[in-house]
Amino acid sequence: MFDFTFHNPTRIVFGKKSIAKLSALVPKKHKVLITYGGGSIKKNGVYDQVALALKDHDFIEFGGIEPNPRYETLMKAVELARKEQVRFLLSVGGGSTLDGTKFLAAAIEYTSADPWDIPTAQTQVQSALPIGCVLTLAATGSESNGYAVISRESTNEKRAFFSELCYPQFAILDPETTCTLPVSQTLNGIVDPFVHVMEQYMTYEVNAPLQDRQAEAILSTLIEEGPKVIADPNNYDARANVMWCATQALNGLIACGVPQDWATHMIGHELTALYGIDHAQSLAVVLPALLRNRREQKARKLVQFGRRIWNIDDTSEDEVMEKAIVRTEEFFQSLGMKTRLSQYGITEGLEQVGIRIEKRNEKLGEHQDILREDIDAILKLCRD
Ligand code: NZQ
Ligand code: ZN
């Protein structure tokens, strides 16, 4: 096992009617900025619950943060927050609103240069406003990590950053809020966490059996509970289980002491930037292709995954690996997720992905050995 430090400071407040607990969690002494997306919270009653809980707080609002939150929009919120001397940010929505809010937290304090430096120049965040969140779409794990992914419309870029200062202080997770999600977003909330686990598990063996089994527990739970939320969107228990899986998949725990891949995400981010498909949609297409391309490097873990998760008992390891990839793909398809780019009408210009990644001098994968030609080969497998 590799050496590691684990510290996750986010307080998780989980369960029915937990939004009411906001009044005690949000500080009263400062002005608060509530951030949200395109308006789902105003239709499903979440906004009303938040406003009621904060009736004795001094707050203002900023709405309109898009899925794949845009720098251009967020800079308007930076301006507002500076003008209004906001000292606490409350994100109410999915991963995009929260990632955008994390960017705000750092950008409001970053007055010396253009805050676009934060995701692009890997400028270490020196100061950030405190954040809290009410999560209405469990998928990204953003509610208890320090990552954020920001898009820039003018350059068609999608870039990520991490800061210890961007962990939310608290995250309110009421599974009931997720019952109003459209099917496509419910689907994203199963596939994204599944792939997060794979990025931290499907690498090479370092004798970390506990982390392996923690990862496998999340995968098996998603395989069991995912179909239940698709079949019955109001199944509270299944919603709660999927929501908790999504948090556990990217709160740092299963990453302790193990190698990590993240190539599926880096390729997926480029596909979203170039073609506009949802984040999880990009992952469902790339993961099976990447596993096929990296079969040799990932052989031991792929066999373990096939045997433990899909109960494949063939004696031939080659058979186990092939069937494990097919079963994973079939799982995504059974939920209603597409697994080929051509199904989205995307067939042209795929070489741009590798060109962009190479230009930034990024080497992908747990061995940092996935180069432009490998990305091209993976995307070829993704096509049809
Ligand atoms: O904007 P509103 O009107 O709120 O509607 C949203 C949005 O259209 C809707 N929605 C959210 N909760 C709802 C709801 N609709 C009805 N009822 C509810 N309860 O869902 C749509 C998608 O929301 P979004 O926040 O974009 O989805 P998600 O949570 O999947 O976030 C995706 C973003 O997170 C990034 C992705 O790249 C993408 O930009 N990621 C962030 C990570 C992190 N911070 O750790 C890691 C991930 O790998 C990922 O890259
Ligand atoms: Zn993801």
Side-chain angles (χ1 to χ4, degrees), residues 23-317:
S23 60
L25 291 165
V26 177
K28 278 210 178 78
K29 59 180 188 239
H30 297 308
K31 190 178 262 190
V32 177
L33 177 65
I34 297 180
T35 52
Y36 60 93
S40 68
I41 64 160
K42 298 227 163 156
K43 289 184 209 132
N44 61 10
V46 169
Y47 176 85
D48 294 340
Q49 292 181 58
V50 170
L52 182 65
L54 296 185
K55 66 181 183 346
D56 298 326
H57 286 68
D58 180 14
F59 68 82
I60 57 170
E61 300 172 17
F62 183 87
I65 299 176
E66 311 82 359
N68 307 308
R70 289 188 198 151
Y71 161 82
E72 287 85 352
T73 304
L74 295 167
M75 287 310 289
K76 293 181 192 151
V78 168
E79 204 179 306
L80 173 73
R82 283 182 184 157
K83 189 170 127 240
E84 296 284 336
Q85 301 192 332
V86 163
R87 299 309 296 161
F88 191 91
L89 304 177
L90 179 68
S91 163
V92 185
S96 292
T97 296
L98 181 50
D99 282 10
T101 306
K102 290 177 180 180
F103 175 78
L104 289 184
I108 290 164
E109 300 282 88
Y110 189 78
T111 48
S112 57
D114 183 346
W116 185 241
D117 287 354
I118 297 165
T120 52
Q122 299 306 320
T123 309
Q124 183 127 19
V125 175
Q126 301 293 342
S127 168
L129 293 187
I131 305 168
C133 94
V134 174
L135 194 74
T136 64
L137 196 185
T140 63
S142 186
E143 64 276 14
S144 68
N145 69 41
Y147 294 100
V149 191
I150 307 299
S151 296
R152 185 163 187 164
E153 201 181 13
S154 59
T155 53
N156 238 1
E157 283 174 282
K158 178 165 175 157
R159 306 292 297 274
F161 73 94
F162 172 84
S163 168
E164 293 276 353
L165 301 176
C166 288
Y167 279 80
Q169 281 187 350
F170 64 81
I172 299 221
L173 273 55
D174 177 349
E176 275 187 337
T177 65
T178 65
C179 291
T180 57
L181 284 169
V183 183
S184 64
Q185 296 300 342
T186 296
L187 206 50
N188 291 345
I190 301 163
V191 172
D192 194 16
F194 191 98
V195 180
H196 290 162
V197 176
M198 293 295 273
E199 300 272 26
Q200 300 162 87
Y201 163 82
M202 185 52 65
T203 55
Y204 55 91
E205 173 63 45
V206 291
N207 197 2
L210 174 62
Q211 293 90 318
D212 277 3
R213 289 198 168 85
Q214 286 171 323
E216 288 157 1
I218 301 171
L219 295 173
S220 297
T221 309
L222 287 168
I223 292 165
E224 269 172 33
E225 301 293 304
K228 295 183 194 167
V229 291
I230 299 292
D232 176 9
N234 293 317
N235 181 335
Y236 177 85
D237 290 333
R239 286 281 186 193
N241 287 324
V242 170
M243 193 168 210
W244 191 223
C245 281
T247 301
Q248 291 288 320
L250 200 48
N251 67 356
L253 187 67
I254 61 168
C256 290
V258 299
Q260 299 181 52
D261 181 344
W262 297 107
T264 298
H265 269 69
M266 299 315 285
I267 297 171
H269 285 173
E270 294 304 325
L271 292 172
T272 299
L274 290 166
Y275 301 101
I277 55 174
D278 287 355
H279 172 62
Q281 292 175 336
S282 74
L283 304 178
V285 167
V286 177
L287 180 73
L290 180 120
L291 294 179
R292 286 215 160 81
N293 180 275
R294 297 284 111 181
R295 236 169 104 131
E296 211 176 290
Q297 296 84 342
K298 294 179 184 291
R300 281 189 66 182
K301 285 309 240 346
L302 203 42
V303 171
Q304 179 177 317
F305 168 71
R307 294 205 194 287
R308 291 193 187 170
I309 300 298
W310 297 116
N311 303 313
I312 301 163
D313 54 13
D314 294 58
T315 43
S316 149
E317 295 202 334

